[in-house]
Amino acid sequence: MTNILLVILCLIIGILLQQLKELPKDAPKTLNTYLIYIVLPALALLHIPDTVLSVRLLLPVLTAWVSFGLSWLLFGSLGKKLGWSKATTGCLIIVPGLANTSFIGFPIIEALYGSEGLKIALMVDQAGSFIIVSSIAIIVASIYGHEKKRKRDVTKKILTFPPFIFFLIALGMNIFDLQFSGTMHEILQAFAGTLTPIALISVGLQVKINAETLSLKPLWYGLGYKLLLIPCLIFFVYQLVLPTYGILYKVSVMETAMAPMITGSIIAINHELNPKLASLLVGIGIPLSFITLLGWYYLVG
């Protein structure tokens, strides 16, 4: 409950801070730069080295890849059919295609399914969402962004993207059984702990909710996909391969049903993929997901 209240409070603070005339216009971009260059690498070094890799976790991890792949297929096609701008199409592929599997997903999964559920959620986030947002999401952003980039430039952007670099370092530490401890571990925890407040305040600074924004059809296409369509698909398809009473099935559905990922919105905003829509998808999607998650929780038993 504390984490959920923190999420709501930070969004409200960001929205209220919009009223300050002293606030620089590029404040959200500055906050996003801090998150990408400092916080996300800290998260990778903190969690990945001591994550236990297991074949049985492959199916839950695949939900993140399926969600993003179908998002690309669906919104890529809809964008052409409905005449959306490339920026809007790219935004809808990235933001609804990625679930908020960490700082909203972790506390909810732990509250519902305990430490065993949290271990599964951690793998879904690190081996699924985190890899995608650090690599494939950058490819999509480069394709749909304003600037034309060559394949070599896109590859360079991924390989020099700080979260991806530190993900590879952390994965190497996991393979060789190396972990940080003592002071270094505490420093990483301190930086990682700033993710939720900074990211959500940044989103709140860019959310402008009114009758006009609520009538945006792409917004509801995105939220309909993220909160209803893709979890519905996982709900039915995974019944064919997993026992419905098991924790793997339940966590797979619930993690897929989480609100859009804030980091995904940061990637979209930094690449100028309809920043207004990216902020709305997160700013409206997070509180709305608390209602839809309740429904999915009862459906999975």
Side-chain angles (χ1 to χ4, degrees):
M1 181 58 70
T2 301
N3 286 301
I4 292 172
L5 288 175
L6 179 63
V7 165
I8 296 171
L9 182 61
C10 289
L11 273 173
I12 293 172
I13 289 172
I15 293 170
L16 292 176
L17 283 174
Q18 294 179 28
Q19 311 306 316
L20 291 180
K21 294 180 180 179
E22 297 83 0
L23 193 73
K25 288 185 178 180
D26 61 349
K29 191 171 183 179
T30 302
L31 293 176
N32 293 345
T33 301
Y34 163 73
L35 291 169
I36 288 173
Y37 282 84
I38 304 296
V39 178
L40 294 184
L43 279 169
L45 294 175
L46 188 64
H47 293 298
I48 294 176
D50 58 0
T51 299
V52 179
L53 304 178
S54 170
V55 176
R56 67 185 287 270
L57 297 176
L58 185 60
L59 279 172
V61 168
L62 277 176
T63 59
W65 293 89
V66 169
S67 178
F68 194 85
L70 287 179
S71 176
W72 196 343
L73 182 65
L74 175 65
F75 292 118
S77 301
L78 275 178
K80 294 177 182 178
K81 186 176 180 180
L82 300 178
W84 291 337
S85 67
K86 289 185 69 176
T88 296
T89 302
C91 177
L92 285 172
I93 292 171
I94 294 173
V95 186
L98 291 161
N100 202 320
T101 49
S102 54
F103 65 83
I104 289 180
F106 289 169
I108 289 177
I109 294 299
E110 186 177 28
L112 298 178
Y113 304 111
S115 60
E116 198 62 33
L118 183 59
K119 291 176 183 177
I120 300 170
L122 185 64
M123 281 306 300
V124 173
D125 181 69
Q126 297 298 325
S129 305
F130 195 86
I131 295 178
I132 295 169
V133 80
S134 302
S135 56
I136 301 177
I138 302 300
I139 295 174
V140 173
S142 299
I143 292 172
Y144 289 89
H146 294 300
E147 299 177 12
K148 296 284 185 182
K149 292 183 175 64
R150 296 170 298 176
K151 289 182 179 179
R152 184 174 62 186
D153 296 331
V154 174
T155 303
K156 182 181 178 182
K157 193 156 192 173
I158 293 171
L159 295 177
T160 56
F161 186 54
F164 186 71
I165 294 171
F166 282 90
F167 170 78
L168 294 179
I169 293 171
L171 192 60
M173 291 176 65
N174 184 298
I175 293 170
F176 292 103
D177 196 24
L178 301 172
Q179 290 98 25
F180 288 109
S181 59
T183 302
M184 190 61 194
H185 188 268
E186 291 176 8
I187 291 172
L188 290 173
Q189 281 185 318
F191 280 122
T194 65
L195 172 65
T196 302
I198 298 297
L200 282 166
I201 288 173
S202 174
V203 168
L205 284 169
Q206 298 165 87
V207 170
K208 289 178 172 58
I209 301 174
N210 50 46
E212 182 185 350
T213 57
L214 291 176
S215 66
L216 291 173
K217 287 185 179 180
L219 169 66
W220 298 108
Y221 277 118
L223 292 180
Y225 173 82
K226 184 70 211 69
L227 302 180
L228 299 175
L229 181 59
I230 189 62
C232 184
L233 179 68
I234 298 300
F235 177 81
F236 286 111
V237 172
Y238 270 45
Q239 287 183 13
L240 304 175
V241 290
L242 287 173
T244 56
Y245 57 82
I247 194 169
L248 282 177
Y249 173 76
K250 294 179 179 181
V251 173
S252 295
V253 175
M254 292 298 290
E255 279 284 69
T256 307
M258 295 294 165
M261 182 197 273
I262 289 177
T263 310
S265 74
I266 291 170
I267 299 297
I269 291 167
N270 277 8
H271 286 80
E272 297 184 10
L273 298 178
N274 201 332
K276 178 181 176 181
L277 177 60
S279 298
L280 284 170
L281 284 165
V282 173
I284 295 177
I286 288 175
L288 188 60
S289 71
F290 297 148
I291 299 170
T292 56
L293 281 169
L294 186 63
W296 287 115
Y297 175 64
Y298 282 107
L299 279 174
V300 298

